[in-house]
Amino acid sequence: MVQKTALLLACLSVPVIAADPIQACYDKARTHSELTHCSGLARQEADKELNAVYQAVLKKHKADRVFSEKFKVAQRAWLKWRDAEMDAIYPDSDQPQRSYGSSFSYCWGNQIEAITRERTKQLRKWADGIEEGELCVGSFPVRE
């Protein structure tokens, strides 16, 4: 019993390796620069995930040329919308630090990451499908 307790305490005292490197980055960040770096990592991860889901949708629907072309048009339009949305949120692009404070880069990164993650959720419907019984299925595949 004493050995088990000692082993348990030894295991608990070993630092846990962070499963999420972005969260680990935020946990260590102490300056604006470090926070901005972490939000950049998060933004890159969100972009990577979006691109992976986008490619998965194109692959899954490669036989449907009409859908594929219209899907690409929609994604290009979304990219323009995203950029316009960011311009609306932070319209003073000439001197953003002066207008929005020293945390501007960090906040900008967080905002664009959130917008990108929301788009990824939207695209997943074409990759993963939707529940059977949905009346307005459109081009979304139905999950089996």
Side-chain angles (χ1 to χ4, degrees):
M1 181 69 160
V2 173
Q3 283 181 321
K4 287 182 184 177
T5 304
L7 181 60
L8 178 63
L9 289 173
C11 289
L12 291 175
S13 66
V14 174
V16 176
I17 297 173
D20 182 355
I22 294 169
Q23 185 59 51
C25 183
Y26 280 120
D27 291 345
K28 292 181 204 172
R30 300 289 178 255
T31 66
H32 286 299
S33 177
E34 291 169 339
L35 285 170
T36 298
H37 171 74
C38 297
S39 74
L41 292 176
R43 189 180 78 246
Q44 288 173 358
E45 186 63 31
D47 282 340
K48 190 171 143 182
E49 184 180 354
L50 175 71
N51 289 327
V53 172
Y54 176 79
Q55 291 302 323
V57 171
L58 288 176
K59 184 177 180 180
K60 183 172 190 164
H61 299 271
K62 67 182 172 190
D64 188 343
R65 206 176 69 115
V66 172
F67 167 80
S68 295
E69 287 306 312
K70 291 191 178 200
F71 181 72
K72 290 175 186 177
V73 167
Q75 186 63 10
R76 284 191 296 270
W78 177 82
L79 288 166
K80 288 180 182 179
W81 173 86
R82 179 204 62 191
D83 293 344
E85 181 78 355
M86 292 302 294
D87 285 344
I89 295 168
Y90 298 109
D92 188 358
S93 59
D94 292 337
Q95 296 184 351
Q97 295 285 341
R98 189 172 75 177
S99 297
Y100 309 113
S102 60
S103 297
F104 164 72
S105 296
Y106 165 75
C107 296
W108 187 91
N110 281 349
Q111 185 65 47
I112 201 163
E113 176 202 1
I115 290 170
T116 302
R117 291 202 184 278
E118 187 60 37
R119 179 61 176 166
T120 302
K121 286 181 195 175
Q122 295 167 354
L123 297 186
R124 280 195 191 284
K125 291 183 209 173
W126 280 290
D128 300 341
I130 59 174
E131 294 293 323
E132 186 173 349
E134 177 68 36
L135 179 62
C136 301
V137 69
S139 62
F140 298 119
V142 176
R143 280 189 221 133
E144 295 180 23

